[in-house]
């Protein structure tokens, strides 16, 4: 009789430890995949603003940044092998954009580097989606990456201004027509870690709202003070670029960040937003200059090329259409440039991406999403700048743009608390 309890207790103990062991294994796997994906995203963001990786391919067409992205995505697939975990409302326009760009490259007989760069951006987008969907706590890592990136490039820009470092770009205030460094009143336009002041402004416009979210979430008041100082100095760096579009975009982005704050009435938000948009139009529109000729040429060429002129060829085509010594790299408008290069379907895909991002931001903000709020503010400012420029023509800026699109797409299924993403309703939201 005394041996019966002993015989039955052993299997009970073994059965009780099996679920615990499986839980421990899943927890360790989640920590590992989160770490790999987060580190990959950090490296990609820093490479976009500083260029910390070599550009030469390691194997075939796989550059170091693409290998980092592939490792991060592979870790995400281990954690979430189901395709439903990666599906977003932006999938269809993304597939259409990639296909249309490939068709344009074939039709125009172009090489494939620009198309491969597009795929790199798409990989960044889905890496962000995977992080937001499977590891909501990694939002802290995303905001921290933005803070570091803004600190590095913003402080580099302030150093250029303080030491009057010649960058090759000058402007006498925000007025048009005075951009020669020989002008006695001209001031150096800072470029930070980039080669062009407009590109620096675009990077900061995209990242500063996310960096602000990182500053607010720092654990101590001293750390938050440092974070806020980085954000303020970043906006000062935007001003020192003397980019008219960049300054207007930064104002719009900061205003949208405030307007999307919970508790603001619709009337106040609408009135302030209208004032900001009108001000931005006046600032940017007062100095369009040769852009009118560029846009006219782009529209004329687009009408006769439904498949586009080929990825990366918009500048060369416009040079043939617009007389004068000035040379162009793009159509000085994101939507025109994509349509001119990738064709009508590519243009439709970019418009669909824009509208889809607006809808996802609105949906996320209404459910309380911090991610949607700050990413939406960065995208709103960048959209204003892209009306008269195309900074996403630069690989680093395109990477940051796709990153923010991935953030808003990743929270498209649910709301968010103060700490980040709230998962689907079947899963309890994370607590601060």
């Amino acid at each position: 009789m005394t041996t019966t309890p002993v015989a039955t207790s052993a299997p009970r103990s073994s059965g009780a430890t099996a679920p615990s062991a499986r839980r421990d294994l899943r927890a360790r796997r989640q920590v590992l995949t989160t770490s790999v994906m987060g580190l990959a995203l950090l490296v990609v963001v820093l490479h976009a603003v500083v260029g910390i990786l070599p550009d030469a391919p390691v194997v075939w067409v796989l550059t170091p940044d693409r290998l980092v992205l592939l490792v991060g995505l592979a870790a995400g697939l281990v954690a979430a092998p189901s395709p439903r975990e990666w599906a977003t409302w932006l999938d269809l326009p993304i597939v259409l954009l990639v296909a249309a760009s490939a068709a344009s490259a074939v039709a125009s007989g172009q090489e494939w580097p620009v198309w491969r760069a597009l795929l790199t951006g798409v990989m960044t987008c889905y890496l962000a989606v995977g992080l937001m969907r499977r590891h909501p706590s990694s939002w802290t890592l995303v905001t921290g990456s933005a803070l570091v990136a803004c600190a590095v490039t913003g402080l580099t820009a302030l150093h250029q201004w303080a030491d009057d470092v010649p960058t090759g770009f000058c402007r006498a205030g925000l007025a048009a027509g005075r951009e020669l460094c020989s002008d006695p009143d001209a001031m150096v336009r800072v470029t930070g870690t980039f080669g062009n002041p407009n590109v620096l402004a675009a990077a900061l416009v995209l990242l500063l709202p996310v960096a602000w979210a990182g500053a607010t979430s720092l654990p101590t008041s001293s750390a938050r003070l440092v974070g806020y100082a980085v954000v303020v100095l970043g906006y000062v760096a935007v001003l020192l670029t003397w980019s008219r579009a960049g300054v207007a975009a930064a104002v719009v982005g900061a205003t949208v960040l405030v307007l999307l704050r919970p508790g603001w009435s619709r009337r106040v938000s609408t009135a302030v937003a209208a004032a900001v948009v009108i001000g931005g139009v006046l600032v940017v529109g007062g100095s369009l200059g040769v852009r009118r000729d560029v846009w006219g040429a782009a529209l004329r060429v687009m009408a006769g090329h439904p498949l586009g002129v080929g990825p990366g060829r918009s500048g060369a085509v416009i040079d043939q259409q617009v007389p004068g010594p000035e040379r162009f790299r793009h159509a000085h408008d994101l939507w025109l440039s994509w349509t001119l290069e990738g064709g009508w379907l590519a243009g439709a895909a970019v418009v669909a991406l824009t509208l889809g991002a607006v809808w996802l931001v609105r949906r996320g903000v209404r459910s309380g999403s911090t991610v949607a709020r700050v990413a939406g503010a960065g995208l709103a400012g960048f959209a204003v700048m892209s009306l008269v420029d195309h900074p996403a023509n630069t690989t680093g800026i395109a990477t940051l743009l796709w990153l923010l699109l991935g953030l808003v797409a990743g929270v498209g299924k649910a709301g968010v608390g103060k700490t980040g993403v709230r998962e689907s309703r079947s899963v309890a939201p994370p607590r601060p």
Side-chain angles (χ1 to χ4, degrees):
M1 296 295 295
T2 57
T3 59
T4 303
V6 176
T8 57
S9 61
R12 285 180 183 176
S13 176
S14 176
T17 59
S20 177
R22 286 195 294 269
R23 285 195 298 269
D24 291 343
L25 180 61
R26 286 196 298 267
R28 287 195 295 269
R29 187 174 67 178
Q30 181 173 356
V31 170
L32 178 61
T33 56
T34 303
S35 301
V36 173
M37 295 174 72
L39 182 60
L41 189 66
L42 173 63
V43 171
V44 168
V45 171
L46 293 180
H47 179 63
V49 298
V50 183
I52 61 174
L53 298 175
D55 292 328
V58 178
V59 179
W60 189 40
V61 296
L62 297 178
T63 55
D65 61 322
R66 290 171 188 161
L67 286 174
V68 168
L69 284 168
L70 285 175
V71 171
L73 288 171
L77 289 173
V78 169
S82 172
R84 296 183 60 184
E85 295 285 345
W86 300 86
T88 76
W89 289 100
L90 301 183
D91 293 344
L92 183 58
I94 288 175
V95 170
L96 181 60
L97 178 61
V98 171
S101 299
S104 179
V106 172
S108 60
Q110 293 298 301
E111 299 290 336
W112 294 88
V114 177
W115 187 80
R116 290 195 291 268
L118 172 61
L119 288 185
T120 303
V122 172
M123 291 165 63
T124 305
C125 175
Y126 282 101
L127 179 60
V129 169
L131 274 171
M132 292 297 97
R133 290 278 175 82
R134 297 296 300 177
H135 311 293
S137 61
S138 62
W139 173 237
T140 303
L141 186 146
V142 174
T143 58
S145 301
L147 260 177
V148 173
C150 289
V152 171
T153 192
L155 292 176
T156 301
L158 291 176
H159 163 71
Q160 292 172 341
W161 171 78
D163 285 1
D164 202 22
V165 176
T167 62
F169 298 89
C170 298
R171 177 166 286 162
L174 291 177
R178 301 181 63 188
E179 302 183 6
L180 297 176
C181 291
S182 58
D183 191 316
D185 297 326
M187 291 178 287
V188 171
R189 301 178 64 188
V190 299
T191 60
T193 55
F194 297 91
N196 186 288
N198 296 328
V199 177
L200 169 63
L204 291 172
V205 164
L206 282 166
L207 288 178
L208 281 171
V210 183
W212 171 86
T216 61
S217 63
L218 291 174
T220 66
S221 58
S222 299
R224 288 193 293 273
L225 181 61
V226 173
Y228 292 140
V230 169
V231 174
V232 171
L233 293 177
Y235 280 109
V236 172
V238 174
L239 178 61
L240 294 176
T241 65
W242 296 111
S243 168
R244 292 180 290 269
V247 171
V251 172
V252 169
T255 304
V256 170
L257 183 64
V258 174
L259 293 180
L260 296 182
R261 181 179 180 180
W264 278 64
S265 69
R266 290 186 178 181
R267 290 183 178 180
V268 174
S269 300
T270 303
V272 177
V276 170
V277 171
I278 293 173
V281 170
L282 291 176
V283 170
V284 176
S287 56
L288 291 179
V290 74
R291 285 180 175 85
R292 295 187 181 91
D293 298 329
V294 171
W295 294 340
L299 290 171
R300 289 193 300 272
V301 175
M302 281 165 45
H305 292 78
L307 291 180
V309 298
R313 292 200 65 238
S314 59
V317 171
I318 291 173
D319 286 342
Q320 299 173 2
Q321 300 290 323
V322 179
E326 191 169 359
R327 293 293 176 262
F328 305 97
R329 296 184 60 188
H330 45 72
H332 279 277
D333 180 277
L334 183 148
W335 296 270
L336 276 180
S337 295
W338 270 109
T339 308
L340 178 59
E341 294 185 1
W344 298 352
L345 287 179
V350 174
V351 171
L353 276 173
T354 305
L355 296 177
V358 171
W359 181 76
L360 286 171
V361 168
R362 180 176 179 271
R363 174 174 156 175
V365 168
R366 291 182 67 181
S367 62
S369 172
T370 302
V371 181
R373 178 189 174 196
V374 299
L379 290 172
F382 187 78
V384 169
M385 190 172 186
S386 296
L387 291 172
V388 293
D389 203 353
H390 183 29
N393 185 66
T394 305
T395 302
I397 303 302
T399 298
L400 299 179
L401 173 60
W402 281 107
L403 168 65
L404 264 64
L405 288 173
L407 293 178
V408 298
V411 299
K413 284 187 175 181
V416 74
K418 292 183 179 180
T419 57
V421 184
R422 188 173 70 210
E423 296 181 337
S424 58
R425 295 182 180 179
S426 61
V427 181
R431 296 296 181 185

